[in-house]
Amino acid sequence: MNKKFKVANTIIGILIGIIASAVYIMTAEPTVSWWDCGEYIATTSKLLVGHPPGAPTFQIIGRIATLFAGGDVTKMAFCVNCMSAVCSGLTIMFLYFTIVRLARKLFVKQGEINLPRAIAIIGAAMVGALTYTFSDTFWFSAVEGEVYAMSSFFTALVFWCILKWDEEYDNPKVNINPNRWIVLIAYLIGLSIGVHLLNLLTLPAIVLIIYYKLSKEATGMGAVLSMAIISSVFAFFCPPVWMLLIWAL
């Protein structure tokens, strides 16, 4: 059952990603939206410098997307919008896989995954992923040349990676060092900062997952201490945070 479940889960996840991408591409803005999109599209097409703090990862990948316009400047905006659509479709796909992994944790304690449990897990993931697909705010960002679609993709990918680490850490069947996922997460977060700082918000969740996985006697105080440490690191690298705290005090 586990093997059939994995095959079905993979196929359905990919199909949901394709469906979401197709919907977003079909509803993508034909040209420039009325705010920062014009600046991002212009800077990606010529690899220019955008407004601070900048988005070099977005602009490099966006430049690749503009090549599909074939030199026609009237189509470059649509190509960048389609890039956001594809990133959003991938976000939905990883959201589906994330929900599946979280749901499986609930059923693993109850024994083998049988057919009713498999249907419940996949059904819950499909409902969650497709609901998010057609939510107003996410759909709005998915069809325009802004950084939020790609930033959401990195966020979904990073959180999926830490769940893969959690799954493989104690699995005797995995012969490869599971800490490779931690290295990948560090690399992805570095890339994501070149899109938007939103991905840093995954750090508290990652720290808690690592803490509860590695701690033999996890306590509430230990979790609070872990959150305090990562919050201090987060505040150190984000001056507006500690400047706001100083102002509040």
Side-chain angles (χ1 to χ4, degrees), residues 176-191:
I176 306 175
N177 190 341
N179 288 328
R180 70 190 191 281
W181 292 106
I182 302 296
V183 176
L184 178 60
I185 287 171
Y187 177 70
L188 291 174
I189 289 178
L191 286 180

Side-chain angles (χ1 to χ4, degrees), residues 22-34:
V23 169
Y24 296 145
I25 291 174
M26 288 188 292
T27 58
E29 295 282 355
T31 183
V32 180
S33 299
W34 180 251

Side-chain angles (χ1 to χ4, degrees), residues 78-180:
F78 179 70
C79 289
V80 176
N81 295 340
C82 287
M83 176 191 71
S84 293
V86 173
C87 287
S88 298
L90 292 173
T91 302
I92 297 300
M93 183 184 72
F94 281 109
L95 173 61
Y96 168 84
F97 288 135
T98 296
I99 296 174
V100 168
R101 292 193 177 279
L102 292 175
R104 284 183 65 183
K105 280 183 168 292
L106 298 176
F107 286 107
V108 165
K109 297 178 181 179
Q110 302 176 17
E112 186 73 16
I113 297 178
N114 51 29
L115 182 58
R117 291 173 180 172
I119 294 174
I121 292 172
I122 292 177
M126 290 178 64
V127 171
L130 291 175
T131 299
Y132 194 53
T133 299
F134 297 101
S135 61
D136 181 72
T137 302
F138 188 76
W139 197 347
F140 187 90
S141 298
V143 296
E144 62 182 11
E146 251 282 9
V147 296
Y148 303 114
M150 188 177 294
S151 181
S152 297
F153 162 66
F154 275 108
T155 301
L157 177 58
V158 164
F159 192 72
W160 176 81
C161 285
I162 193 60
L163 293 181
K164 284 287 293 182
W165 172 86
D166 178 69
E167 179 187 25
E168 292 186 3
Y169 191 81
D170 293 329
N171 191 345
K173 297 180 181 180
V174 178
N175 297 322
I176 306 175
N177 190 341
N179 288 328
R180 70 190 191 281

